[in-house]
Amino acid sequence: MEENNSSSGFVKTRPDTHQDFTEMQEIYISASGYNRLFRCERYGRLHVFKTLKDVYAGSNFHEQALQKEFAIGYQLEHPHICRTQGWEEIPGLGNGILLEYIDGITLRDFMDRGLLTRQLAYKFIAELCAALQYLHSKQIVHRDIKPGNIMITHNGNNVKLIDFSLSDHDDYDILKMPAGTRYYLAPEALQPGVTPDLRADIYSLGLVMGEMATILKDKHIAAISRKCTQRKPERRYATASDVAAALTQHQLPIGRSGIAALLLALVIGGAVACYWMWGKKTVGVTPFPVYGNITVPDACRRILSDEQISIHDSKGNAQTDSIALLQRLKEALDAAYPLAEQRNSDTYRKQWTWLMEEAEKVSANPKSH
């Protein structure tokens, strides 16, 4: 809409939008989605402006999707959810969402840098559960819970859940389709005619917890993760609050009379965990390898997951091209480590060794997956 330059006699209380923002810098373009992000400054405070990629500019469908994301995000006010601050129109960029700028890094980067500790893991999970319980109380399903959509602030190591572009609410009719990152997607989300409920977020949360458990070798988190990631939704925790309660259950104070029972339970529980975490490995690799012994980039895990799901979909009759699979994995890993010195690191070599082993298992025995 063009600005009317004629004077109305009133003094404007706010400058034109394009005069408000300075230091506009593009910081992210979605590889598979329709959004791009800009960091900008207004009145000395940093913000993030989220708008459509050029190729989607003018698309009514994607414009509605962006408006839906704004409408969902604008009603949310929670300390562990990125705040949606407004809807703006910026010349040259179009309409978009003004978001809180979060000074931090993603949980994916946090884990990859070796910063995760047991104390922080429990803190992060508790804060994620609080954010999800708040969302679900408003009948909102996030639908894309993953380490890349969880920010950790530099100041205080606090969780901030971001990106509601795939979120859903009963009040909206658009984007009623399977959505989310394939590896973290609940199985029912791929079933035709099934509308995933809040337990789909519980499943994705369980996969995130599984990665933490793998890094920390924490059997308690791993046990909770296994229940979160049951293939049948009714076997998972019913709410995020239930997950939080299970997380803190073993920390509740007990009397002397309960110590012996607790020790016995820990011994039995440890034996069961060992059986599930190590003994079951001889059977084959799960399509969602949560309890592997190494963390690899999301893109590599998605390639393995897609390959395994493809085999499932074809009832085990498909033949895996091991050379093509290895090539795709190598390209994805190299993209995550673009510098030569990074590819010479021990981390890169360990991840590539693990990926080759997983690819060999997929190729050697596809029906077991």
Side-chain angles (χ1 to χ4, degrees):
M1 181 179 296
E2 294 182 357
E3 188 75 20
N4 186 351
N5 293 324
S6 61
S7 174
S8 63
F10 292 97
V11 176
K12 291 184 179 180
T13 59
R14 176 183 167 194
D16 294 334
T17 301
H18 68 278
Q19 294 177 344
D20 281 355
F21 296 103
T22 59
E23 305 297 329
M24 186 73 68
Q25 179 182 3
E26 190 171 69
I27 57 174
Y28 174 78
I29 301 179
S30 174
S32 57
Y34 54 87
N35 295 315
R36 56 177 176 163
L37 302 179
F38 292 83
R39 182 174 58 203
C40 53
E41 186 174 326
R42 172 192 271 172
Y43 308 134
R45 176 180 292 183
L46 290 173
H47 304 273
V48 170
F49 181 69
K50 186 172 190 176
T51 187
L52 298 177
K53 292 159 62 172
D54 288 339
V55 68
Y56 296 110
S59 165
N60 184 56
F61 173 83
H62 292 94
E63 183 79 18
Q64 288 184 49
L66 195 65
Q67 291 174 355
K68 170 185 175 179
E69 180 181 356
F70 165 73
I72 289 177
Y74 195 66
Q75 63 180 291
L76 304 177
E77 187 69 35
H78 191 276
H80 300 302
I81 295 177
C82 178
R83 185 178 297 107
T84 297
Q85 298 176 324
W87 177 264
E88 302 283 350
E89 181 180 359
I90 297 181
L93 297 179
N95 293 322
I97 306 169
L98 191 67
L99 299 165
E100 169 190 10
Y101 175 79
I102 300 171
D103 184 21
I105 59 176
T106 66
L107 177 60
R108 166 60 60 215
D109 289 338
F110 198 93
M111 294 190 295
D112 287 347
R113 295 181 187 182
L115 301 176
L116 188 67
T117 65
R118 186 174 184 274
Q119 181 179 4
L120 284 176
Y122 278 70
K123 177 180 187 292
F124 294 164
I125 295 169
E127 291 177 354
L128 278 171
C129 287
L132 285 177
Q133 186 63 30
Y134 173 78
L135 279 181
H136 296 163
S137 71
K138 293 180 173 291
Q139 303 303 309
I140 296 172
V141 183
H142 188 279
R143 300 210 302 176
D144 200 16
I145 301 295
K146 60 182 180 180
N149 281 341
I150 301 166
M151 296 292 292
I152 307 300
T153 64
H154 290 313
N155 183 14
N157 287 325
N158 297 311
V159 160
K160 289 280 190 176
L161 185 61
I162 65 171
D163 195 354
F164 291 85
S165 58
L166 300 180
S167 298
D168 199 15
H169 191 285
D170 291 342
D171 294 342
Y172 299 96
D173 295 324
I174 62 172
L175 283 182
K176 298 288 187 181
M177 62 185 71
T181 303
R182 187 65 174 266
Y183 173 69
Y184 298 94
L185 200 60
E188 65 270 20
L190 298 174
Q191 297 176 8
V194 176
T195 302
D197 58 20
L198 59 88
R199 291 170 296 183
D201 282 347
I202 300 295
Y203 182 94
S204 302
L205 172 64
L207 288 178
V208 175
M209 293 176 63
E211 293 190 43
M212 294 183 181
T214 298
I215 293 171
L216 301 172
K217 296 180 173 58
D218 189 300
K219 297 176 182 178
H220 184 61
I221 296 178
I224 299 173
S225 173
R226 284 195 295 275
K227 183 168 181 178
C228 288
T229 54
Q230 292 291 312
R231 294 191 67 82
K232 294 184 177 181
E234 61 270 19
R235 294 184 177 179
R236 301 171 198 158
Y237 291 102
T239 68
S241 293
D242 292 339
V243 178
L247 186 71
T248 59
Q249 185 175 9
H250 75 299
Q251 297 174 335
L252 294 176
I254 60 173
R256 292 184 178 181
S257 60
I259 293 178
L262 176 60
L263 290 175
L264 179 61
L266 289 174
V267 170
I268 295 175
V272 172
C274 289
Y275 171 75
W276 280 102
M277 294 176 67
W278 292 292
K280 284 289 186 179
K281 285 187 177 180
T282 59
V283 179
V285 180
T286 170
F288 302 96
V290 184
Y291 308 112
N293 57 3
I294 195 166
T295 300
V296 297
D298 282 349
C300 297
R301 288 188 181 274
R302 285 197 296 271
I303 290 172
L304 287 173
S305 177
D306 287 345
E307 189 71 28
Q308 293 160 350
I309 292 174
S310 175
I311 292 170
H312 272 293
D313 292 342
S314 60
K315 298 181 180 180
N317 297 320
Q319 296 296 320
T320 301
D321 186 339
S322 58
I323 296 179
L325 177 58
L326 283 172
Q327 183 177 358
R328 290 164 58 203
L329 290 170
K330 186 68 162 58
E331 290 173 353
L333 187 63
D334 287 350
Y337 294 90
L339 302 179
E341 54 266 30
Q342 292 176 329
R343 297 177 188 175
N344 289 327
S345 66
D346 289 339
T347 300
Y348 178 93
R349 285 192 289 269
K350 288 178 181 178
Q351 291 182 355
W352 176 235
T353 299
W354 184 86
L355 288 170
M356 288 192 293
E357 291 174 353
E358 294 302 305
E360 181 179 356
K361 292 175 184 176
V362 173
S363 304
N365 191 15
K367 290 187 179 182
S368 67
H369 304 281

